[in-house]
Amino acid sequence: MGDADEEFPKRWGEMVPWGDPAWYRGYNSPYYKKTHHDWRMKVRDFVEEHIVGNVREWDEAKEVPKELYKNLWKAGLLPSVVGAPWPEEFVGPGGPEDFDAFHSLIFVEELGRCASGGVLWAIMGGMGIGLPPVLHFGSDYLKQKVVRKCLTGDAFICLAITEPYAGSDVANIRTTAEKDPSGEFYVVNGEKKWITNGVFADFFTVAVRTGGPGIGGISMMLIEKTMPGVNCTQMNCMGVWPSGTTYITFENVKVPAANLIGEENAGFMYIMYNFNYERWGICVQATKFARVCLEEAFQYAMKRKTFGKRLIQHGMIKWKIAEMARQVEATHAMLESLTHQLNTIPREEHFTHLDLIMDISLLKVQATKTFEFCAREAAQIFGGNSYVRGGQGEKIERLYREVRAFAIPGGSEEIMLDLAVKMAVKSYKAVLQSKM
């Protein structure tokens, strides 16, 4: 594994050029300590033992076995899906020392070695964004009802915001929740689409309209799959097959008033509070998958021969590898910088911090475009082997299908670029105003 310094090995991993982040390859970093190295070893051991050899089977089956979640819990990994701080109140101690955003980064990156967005989304895509609104804004009743069950793999939860007619345009969702005159329950009607983990979930954290038009009329509530009138259909999508992408309808679903998350008509704020972390998570995954494409292409080019020499000896292949490495390393440097901001800017400021919103938006575009570039170039290097499910090009074939699942959800590239500039204009206007 390499030389060791006082705290942890200086060089650790497979040592494929650019196949792991720079700190794995001996670079000095201000971000990582021994607790991060111990965590990456723990996650990698789990991925190698429980995930890597099963990915194609799970991908074709379009689901992962429920015992995977219990194994993640037993290994002390599953609670990390909801990010820092470690949810000790619900699961007790057991997380890494000083659990922070870099532990979360490592968790996602090491899971990403399996080269399946579908598997990552099956593990994280529901609970990672569906449980935090309950954790941060839900009543004690709701927390006791769902949090521990989800963190231990005994129950599953997902976030249901997107509708057939409202994706990034969250302010215009149409699903309604009308309060009964008794005040004891709401009646929910509407539909949600492209909901990750929906078909597997026991609970849905749902955005509904309880008031007038726009952002001021949106609430969040917990709906249970067992409630009459809830119907789920798994969708057939281009990629991320095991993630359980779902079309959900709510037909006169009676939801107890106690299932309201936070205050009525304050749901848009809770959604915005969640968005930075969802987008950051997509950035981590897309960057890792770009790196997987680079690593696989480099290794393949080292062994494949054409015209009497190895692919890596051809000038055009060198150019492709170098371009992939250039973009991956630059993107990862920006990712680490913004992860550090998540660590050091007080959490309650994250969803109103204009610079953070701006730069995470830009990073999402940078990461997904880098992923798309690397998937294409890796496919070109693999040639026909990247066009076949299974075999030497299995990872590249699968990841190439999954690119759009990262470029569109969580805010499409176009929406992210527009948002970044809007926030920049708003920020600079405040600067100009302060000088008047």
Side-chain angles (χ1 to χ4, degrees), residues 158-162 192-199 244-246 248:
C158 68
L159 184 69
I161 296 177
T162 301
K192 300 292 181 178
K193 195 173 184 181
W194 299 289
I195 305 305
T196 302
N197 290 187
V199 73
T245 306
T246 307
I248 307 172

Side-chain angles (χ1 to χ4, degrees), residues 15-18 294-306 309-314 317-318 321 381-382:
M15 292 300 116
V16 177
W18 307 295
L294 167 58
E295 180 180 15
E296 290 291 305
F298 187 95
Q299 291 180 298
Y300 184 77
M302 287 291 290
K303 65 182 181 181
R304 170 75 168 167
K305 288 185 177 180
T306 62
K309 57 183 178 181
R310 300 184 190 279
L311 276 181
I312 200 71
Q313 294 176 287
H314 293 280
I317 301 302
K318 289 190 186 106
I321 295 290
I381 291 171
F382 271 83

Side-chain angles (χ1 to χ4, degrees), residues 129-328:
I129 55 178
L131 193 58
V134 179
L135 265 174
H136 298 301
F137 304 107
S139 64
D140 288 339
Y141 163 74
L142 288 181
K143 291 176 184 178
Q144 294 304 318
K145 185 180 184 68
V146 305
V147 173
R148 180 174 170 80
K149 288 180 182 178
C150 293
L151 293 175
T152 57
D154 289 318
F156 303 92
I157 191 169
C158 68
L159 184 69
I161 296 177
T162 301
E163 299 179 350
Y165 19 71
S168 296
D169 188 11
V170 176
N172 286 311
I173 62 164
R174 301 182 190 177
T175 297
T176 60
E178 297 184 5
K179 204 166 193 177
D180 182 77
S182 69
E184 295 180 0
F185 60 87
Y186 292 86
V187 178
V188 177
N189 284 282
E191 50 195 338
K192 300 292 181 178
K193 195 173 184 181
W194 299 289
I195 305 305
T196 302
N197 290 187
V199 73
F200 309 130
D202 302 291
F203 303 103
F204 308 94
T205 300
V206 185
V208 295
R209 185 161 301 286
T210 48
I215 63 176
I218 296 174
S219 296
M220 298 285 282
M221 60 178 50
L222 188 77
I223 297 181
E224 301 166 48
K225 183 175 283 183
T226 55
M227 292 175 175
V230 177
N231 295 286
C232 297
T233 303
Q234 188 162 358
M235 299 170 65
N236 290 316
C237 298
M238 181 188 297
V240 294
W241 295 343
S243 67
T245 306
T246 307
Y247 178 76
I248 307 172
T249 59
F250 302 110
E251 299 179 22
N252 295 319
V253 181
K254 289 186 176 181
V255 181
N259 282 31
L260 182 70
I261 297 171
E263 298 179 12
E264 190 174 275
N265 296 327
F268 190 80
M269 181 187 74
Y270 308 150
I271 294 169
M272 292 300 104
Y273 189 90
N274 223 28
F275 262 152
N276 270 344
Y277 305 102
E278 178 181 0
R279 290 166 180 160
W280 175 85
I282 292 172
C283 294
V284 180
Q285 294 172 61
T287 305
K288 178 59 184 180
F289 290 147
R291 192 182 292 280
V292 170
C293 291
L294 167 58
E295 180 180 15
E296 290 291 305
F298 187 95
Q299 291 180 298
Y300 184 77
M302 287 291 290
K303 65 182 181 181
R304 170 75 168 167
K305 288 185 177 180
T306 62
F307 304 103
K309 57 183 178 181
R310 300 184 190 279
L311 276 181
I312 200 71
Q313 294 176 287
H314 293 280
M316 180 54 72
I317 301 302
K318 289 190 186 106
W319 181 89
K320 289 179 181 294
I321 295 290
E323 274 294 300
M324 293 163 72
R326 176 181 67 80
Q327 295 185 40
V328 167

Side-chain angles (χ1 to χ4, degrees), residues 13 27 55 60 74 80 84 91 110 121 123 230 278 282 288 337-338 361 376 390 401 403 427:
Y27 274 31
V55 172
E60 299 289 342
K74 292 173 184 175
S80 67
V91 298
E110 287 296 330
W121 286 20
I123 294 170
V230 177
E278 178 181 0
I282 292 172
K288 178 59 184 180
S337 175
L338 288 177
S361 298
R376 183 195 186 280
R401 280 190 283 107
V403 167
S427 177

